Amino acid sequence: MPSAAGSRLPLALALASTALLSAGCSTTSAPAPQVIVPEIPASLLTCSPEPAPPAADADDAGLALWIVELRRAGQDCRSRLSGVRVWADQMRQPGG
């Protein structure tokens, strides 16, 4: 017949195991992660307006000036888009 001390050891191990396993079933949950949505700087979200086309009777100089202004507005938008790209790349960096 097993001794009294020998029969208590498996019971003690079973109770200790149960206590350790039930600690993993805690009702306390981890805090919900915070979602931070960075805002794109407003200066990068607005482009120069496209110039209105010249009148139908505009001369070559008027047409050339319109083309220059049109290209300037397009370059402004491309430049700002590039700024958004740089900003987004910085946000992806650790600590961005």
Side-chain angles (χ1 to χ4, degrees), residues 5 13 25 28-30 32 36-37 44 57 66 71 73-74 85-86 94-95:
L13 287 174
C25 298
T28 308
S29 61
I36 300 172
V37 180
L44 298 177
D57 62 347
W66 175 73
R71 291 182 52 84
R85 187 177 297 113
V86 168

Side-chain angles (χ1 to χ4, degrees), residues 29-41:
S29 61
Q34 289 184 330
V35 177
I36 300 172
V37 180
E39 291 189 34
I40 298 172

Side-chain angles (χ1 to χ4, degrees), residues 9-57:
L9 183 61
L11 178 62
L13 287 174
L15 288 175
S17 297
T18 303
L20 288 174
L21 291 174
S22 66
C25 298
S26 172
T27 58
T28 308
S29 61
Q34 289 184 330
V35 177
I36 300 172
V37 180
E39 291 189 34
I40 298 172
S43 63
L44 298 177
L45 295 176
T46 306
C47 296
S48 295
E50 182 176 304
D57 62 347

Side-chain angles (χ1 to χ4, degrees), residues 34-90:
Q34 289 184 330
V35 177
I36 300 172
V37 180
E39 291 189 34
I40 298 172
S43 63
L44 298 177
L45 295 176
T46 306
C47 296
S48 295
E50 182 176 304
D57 62 347
D59 59 3
D60 288 347
L63 184 58
L65 288 174
W66 175 73
I67 291 171
V68 168
E69 290 300 313
L70 187 64
R71 291 182 52 84
R72 186 175 293 146
Q75 182 55 42
D76 178 62
C77 273
R78 287 186 293 277
S79 174
R80 291 173 192 260
L81 178 59
S82 176
V84 170
R85 187 177 297 113
V86 168
W87 174 85
D89 289 344
Q90 289 172 347

